[in-house]
Amino acid sequence: LYLDARHFPLLAFTIFFDYSIARFMDLSQSGKFRRFLLASSVSLNIFILFFFKFIFYLNRSSNQTLPTPEAPLSAIASWGIPLGVSFFTFHSVSYVVDVYRRKTSASQSLVQYALFVSFFPKIAAGPIERFSAFSRQLSGNFSLNARSAYRGIR
């Protein structure tokens, strides 16, 4: 697991994809269409998770038997496992499931949703947090002063 700039497009893609899915899901009244959107989101997220989690191990075991350093599998596996891939995947899935179940409505702000998925302290420490709890913290009135900065650093 490590941070690599080549992983940012993956994170950006999943954020935009799941944000769009949730917005369409929120607007739709059709149960079949909502289930299709949910299945699409969950399938893509699980595919990404399994791909990056297991491509590295699959490549290592195939290189032990058939060394092919120029193979596409080797090139992708050389990127390593994206930092926090499990957490941002599960954050995205939990958000889409909550929108599907109507426990929360889809975020109107792509920036707030992106912050929810990629909020690094939560990625590093866990556990998976619900969007509704996280978004309430973002929608409050904030003022930056020395006292609040000190409290935040502590």
Side-chain angles (χ1 to χ4, degrees):
L1 287 173
Y2 63 93
L3 185 61
D4 188 326
R6 293 174 287 191
H7 298 146
F8 288 118
L10 174 68
L11 179 60
F13 170 75
T14 57
I15 286 171
F16 183 75
F17 180 79
D18 288 326
Y19 172 80
S20 301
I21 289 285
R23 292 294 306 267
F24 283 124
M25 194 182 293
D26 214 24
L27 297 173
S28 175
Q29 297 302 317
S30 168
K32 283 185 180 182
F33 186 61
R34 289 171 54 80
R35 278 190 297 278
F36 169 74
L37 292 172
L38 176 66
S40 299
S41 174
V42 171
S43 298
L44 179 71
N45 279 291
I46 298 301
F47 172 77
I48 289 170
L49 178 65
F50 278 104
F51 180 80
F52 278 99
K53 284 285 193 173
F54 294 109
I55 193 86
F56 180 74
Y57 300 109
L58 183 62
N59 182 59
R60 278 185 35 192
S61 47
S62 70
N63 280 347
Q64 289 175 358
T65 56
L66 300 169
T68 55
E70 300 303 319
L73 194 61
S74 296
I76 294 171
S78 71
W79 295 3
I81 301 169
L83 181 66
V85 68
S86 296
F87 283 102
F88 77 71
T89 298
F90 291 130
H91 264 103
S92 291
V93 168
S94 74
Y95 168 74
V96 172
V97 168
D98 282 351
V99 172
Y100 174 77
R101 292 180 176 167
R102 299 192 191 277
K103 288 185 176 182
T104 190
S105 41
S107 175
Q108 302 299 308
S109 168
L110 178 59
V111 172
Q112 280 190 359
Y113 175 67
L115 185 58
F116 164 71
V117 172
S118 63
F119 189 58
F120 191 75
K122 289 306 279 183
I123 287 175
I128 304 301
E129 185 170 359
R130 299 288 186 204
F131 177 75
S132 57
F134 190 83
S135 67
R136 281 193 297 269
Q137 296 175 36
L138 295 176
S139 58
N141 292 331
F142 299 103
S143 63
L144 182 60
N145 55 42
R147 185 173 183 216
S148 62
Y150 175 75
R151 286 179 55 209
I153 293 171
R154 268 185 39 214

